[in-house]
Amino acid sequence: MSETTPARLLRLLSLLQMHRDWTGTELAERLECTTRTIRRDVDRLRELGYPVHASMGPVGGYRLGAGAKLPPLLLDDDEAVAVTLGLQANATGGVTGIEEASLRALTKVEQVLPARLRHQAASLRAAVVAMPPRYETGAGVGAETLTAISAAIRGAETLRFDYLSHHGDGTRRAVEPHRIAHWGHRWYLVGWDTGRDDWRTFRVDRMTLRTPNGRHFAHRPSPDGDVAAYLRRTISFDPWPYRSVVRVHVPAEELTGRVEGIITPIDERTCRLEMGSDSYALVALVIGMLDVEFEVESPPELREHLEALAGRFTRASAIK
């Protein structure tokens, strides 16, 4: 038997929010009604502000598109709890400028949650402790800045901004923005610097955007073929004064997540680890904590430091 109109509309909306095309016949079978009823229900959803698009033809169907205003949104139980926890995290930190908006949205969501979900979300929030960052994270990043950069990426518009380097030097840049990355409590922009004719990585909290944006451009392939790999190299290796490369006698997957650096598989049993640091002593400490067999590939200074360290440890162990 077919459901009442309000219940059927809610089920129809839930199906359309799955971001796929549905034929009228498929929807009618799911909702146990006629295709004529589906057409009427789609018209009702459009009147409520939901942009339901229809395509004609033998393989045509219905799809929920983006609209000019935000209509009511349906969430399943897991999605509702996830949204609640995400808003809670943003309300207590996150991106500068969205804390108040996150708190308002959180209040609205919690008001309409069923009691069982409200209790579940409250239990999860009570069990989670927000820890401050272990290291200095720099100035906060405004939501409007991230939004402006994202819009420039989407619109393929060159960004113009003033940039403050790590040493406090100010420069003016024109960059074709490629991707934004969030890593270690900081936001980074990866883009093609038109003045340097090369890829560059910028900390967003050191950028002051200029308006309007510059000329349009054609997006380039990702640097290194992978933005994440490029960031690992440019942030965790290239900038450091002491750069070391060692061959480690374990599979690459055994090191992943255990050490900061660039890990490259050599074969099934060995991999190459590239690390940047402030000293060779720190490199020796990190490698020692990994408790693995390894060989130094470069530089010779690291090998000399390890030899001196080995002698010191040998002498210490011989003392009785």
Side-chain angles (χ1 to χ4, degrees):
M1 179 179 293
S2 179
E3 299 171 288
T4 61
T5 299
R8 192 178 59 246
L9 281 176
L10 290 175
R11 287 197 60 202
L12 174 60
L13 181 58
S14 181
L15 291 172
L16 291 173
Q17 287 180 166
M18 294 174 67
H19 292 291
R20 56 157 287 186
D21 289 317
W22 294 90
T23 66
T25 301
E26 288 175 328
L27 292 172
E29 290 176 353
R30 287 290 192 106
L31 301 178
E32 299 179 354
C33 63
T34 66
T35 55
R36 182 179 179 183
T37 299
I38 292 297
R39 288 195 296 271
R40 288 201 304 264
D41 287 350
V42 166
D43 288 338
R44 290 190 180 97
L45 289 177
R46 288 168 175 162
E47 292 172 358
L48 293 171
Y50 294 95
V52 182
H53 302 312
S55 56
M56 306 301 292
V59 293
Y62 298 100
R63 171 183 287 269
L64 188 65
K69 61 180 181 179
L70 184 65
L73 181 67
L74 285 183
L75 301 172
D76 62 27
D77 289 2
D78 291 340
E79 291 170 342
V81 173
V83 167
T84 302
L85 293 177
L87 290 171
Q88 174 68 26
N90 285 331
T92 57
V95 179
T96 303
I98 66 170
E99 295 91 342
E100 183 181 350
S102 298
L103 187 58
R104 293 199 309 269
L106 176 62
T107 301
K108 293 177 181 178
V109 171
E110 288 189 328
Q111 285 177 341
V112 298
L113 282 179
R116 56 186 175 81
L117 294 183
R118 191 160 53 244
H119 175 72
Q120 182 180 346
S123 298
L124 285 171
R125 288 204 309 274
V128 175
V129 176
M131 294 293 292
R134 295 174 59 189
Y135 309 104
E136 178 271 330
T137 60
V141 175
E144 67 282 356
T145 299
L146 294 176
T147 301
I149 296 174
S150 299
I153 294 173
R154 184 175 62 252
E157 296 178 342
T158 301
L159 279 175
R160 303 184 309 114
F161 57 89
D162 296 320
Y163 191 69
L164 192 64
S165 73
H166 174 71
H167 302 290
D169 302 321
T171 56
R172 184 169 297 180
R173 304 296 185 99
V175 172
E176 298 173 359
H178 185 70
R179 291 290 186 275
I180 303 175
H182 188 221
W183 189 7
H185 302 284
R186 288 175 178 163
W187 290 91
Y188 296 91
L189 167 67
V190 176
W192 181 267
D193 191 321
T194 60
R196 276 71 176 173
D197 200 28
D198 198 2
W199 291 100
R200 290 291 189 271
T201 302
F202 304 93
R203 271 180 49 178
V204 177
D205 60 292
R206 293 177 178 166
M207 296 170 53
T208 302
L209 298 182
R210 289 179 168 269
T211 55
N213 291 337
R215 62 176 180 80
H216 288 272
F217 63 91
H219 280 290
R220 304 169 187 267
S222 297
D224 291 0
D226 180 358
V227 173
Y230 172 78
L231 279 170
R232 281 193 294 270
R233 176 172 64 81
T234 57
I235 294 178
S236 65
F237 186 72
D238 288 353
W240 295 96
Y242 294 85
R243 289 174 279 184
S244 306
V245 182
V246 298
R247 180 187 295 253
V248 185
H249 293 271
V250 296
E253 56 267 22
E254 289 192 19
L255 286 189
T256 303
R258 296 179 57 194
V259 60
E260 285 288 340
I262 304 171
I263 303 169
T264 306
I266 297 177
D267 53 40
E268 294 181 353
R269 292 175 292 180
T270 59
C271 62
R272 179 170 290 106
L273 172 61
E274 301 172 72
M275 291 186 295
S277 69
D278 287 323
S279 68
Y280 293 129
L282 184 58
V283 174
L285 174 64
V286 172
I287 296 176
M289 293 176 64
L290 291 175
D291 193 25
V292 293
E293 295 292 328
F294 68 96
E295 302 165 8
V296 175
E297 293 190 355
S298 66
E301 290 82 2
L302 174 61
R303 189 177 294 109
E304 294 170 1
H305 180 85
L306 292 176
E307 290 173 353
L309 191 62
R312 192 175 306 133
F313 273 74
T314 299
R315 291 190 295 274
S317 62
I319 299 175
K320 297 181 180 180

